[in-house]
């Protein structure tokens, strides 16, 4: 029997924000910025509120702590092949807040120019309701999927567990969850049908050579 190996794995990290006080501080800062700038931006969001990308300027110490955690996660899974013991690269962060309510969503998109992207959930908006019909899941698109699906949409390649791979992976957020993935990976948010308010922070990390000294 032929030996099956898995090639070109795409890393996807999941962690938890441990500080309830930090989560509360993020919420307070986001609600204050929403009140100051209720219009926000329109980028990938279909409804909802998207803050400016300068959250480091108004997010306070909790935003700085979140960036530090994200950078630590990125350092743990990124190798500088020319200097594996001590990377020559650091991270330039950019972050913003998203607030979504009933019917809001985000269309499929990537984050060009960044290396890692992350989402931290300040409030998942479910209010403890586990009903899957509430939607609002983070959806990740297999970057290899368009070509084989165009040729034979009913066929699937096996994963490392031998089961057919889905062209899309769905992740249900929870309050305090932080996820991180390569910035080139297409992702979206399905329409949210809950009665609560979803509050999240998105982070981009751009790789940059460290300055000498």
């Amino acid at each position: 029997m032929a030996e099956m190996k898995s090639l070109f794995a795409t890393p996807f990290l999941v962690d938890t924000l441990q500080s309830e006080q930090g989560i509360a501080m993020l919420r307070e800062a986001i609600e204050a910025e929403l009140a100051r700038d209720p219009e926000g931006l329109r980028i990938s969001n279909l409804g909802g509120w998207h803050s400016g990308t300068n959250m480091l300027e108004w997010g306070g110490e909790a935003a700085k702590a979140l960036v530090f955690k994200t950078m630590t996660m990125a350092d743990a899974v990124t190798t500088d092949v020319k200097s594996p013991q001590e990377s020559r690269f650091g991270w330039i962060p950019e972050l913003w807040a998203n607030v979504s309510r009933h019917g809001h969503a985000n269309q499929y998109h990537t984050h060009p120019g960044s290396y890692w992207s992350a989402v931290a959930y300040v409030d998942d908006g479910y209010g403890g309701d586990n009903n899957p019909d509430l939607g609002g899941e983070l959806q990740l698109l297999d970057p290899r999927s368009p070509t084989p699906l165009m040729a034979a949409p009913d066929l699937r390649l096996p994963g490392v567990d031998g089961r057919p791979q889905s062209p899309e992976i769905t992740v249900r957020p929870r309050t305090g969850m932080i996820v991180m993935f390569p910035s080139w990976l297409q992702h979206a948010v399905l329409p949210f049908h809950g009665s609560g308010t979803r509050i999240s922070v998105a982070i981009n990390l751009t790789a940059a050579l460290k300055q000498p000294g």
Side-chain angles (χ1 to χ4, degrees):
M1 184 176 180
E3 179 185 5
M4 188 181 76
K5 297 183 177 181
S6 180
L7 303 177
F8 308 118
T10 300
F12 180 77
L13 285 75
V14 181
D15 205 341
T16 302
L17 303 178
Q18 299 296 331
S19 172
E20 292 184 5
Q21 181 182 9
I23 293 173
M25 291 171 64
L26 286 170
R27 175 193 290 273
E28 182 178 350
I30 292 168
E31 289 176 344
E33 181 65 10
L34 173 58
R36 189 198 67 81
D37 178 24
E39 291 298 319
L41 303 177
R42 291 288 181 270
I43 301 181
S44 68
N45 49 312
L46 302 173
W49 179 75
H50 183 307
S51 80
T53 58
N54 61 336
M55 188 173 172
L56 266 181
E57 297 178 10
W58 53 263
E61 292 303 314
K64 294 176 183 177
L66 177 58
V67 165
F68 179 78
K69 180 175 181 63
T70 308
M71 289 179 172
T72 301
M73 292 171 64
D75 286 338
V77 293
T78 312
T79 301
D80 180 354
V81 294
K82 290 189 176 181
S83 181
Q85 300 303 317
E86 183 176 355
S87 177
R88 298 165 298 151
F89 291 85
W91 305 107
I92 298 175
E94 178 184 62
L95 65 160
W96 61 96
N98 291 288
V99 176
S100 301
R101 297 183 176 86
H102 186 88
H104 296 160
N106 288 75
Q107 60 188 339
Y108 264 117
H109 63 288
T110 61
H111 295 193
S114 301
Y115 197 93
W116 288 105
S117 293
V119 183
Y121 295 95
V122 177
D123 191 329
D124 58 32
Y126 296 127
D129 192 338
N130 294 321
N131 183 354
D133 293 336
L134 296 182
E137 296 91 346
L138 173 66
Q139 199 157 33
L140 307 158
L141 181 66
D142 185 340
R144 307 162 301 171
S145 65
T147 299
L149 287 183
M150 288 172 60
D154 291 333
L155 297 182
R156 297 287 187 273
L157 298 175
V160 292
D161 59 359
R163 300 175 63 183
Q165 296 184 69
S166 171
E168 294 176 310
I169 301 299
T170 299
V171 179
R172 195 177 201 264
R174 65 175 186 273
T175 299
M177 173 189 281
I178 178 171
V179 300
M180 190 171 74
F181 47 87
S183 299
W184 48 258
L185 187 63
Q186 289 200 61
H187 55 285
V189 179
L190 297 177
F192 177 62
H193 300 301
S195 59
T197 300
R198 163 79 53 81
I199 303 175
S200 62
V201 178
I203 306 104
N204 280 340
L205 299 179
T206 301
L209 284 169
K210 300 174 182 176
Q211 296 297 320

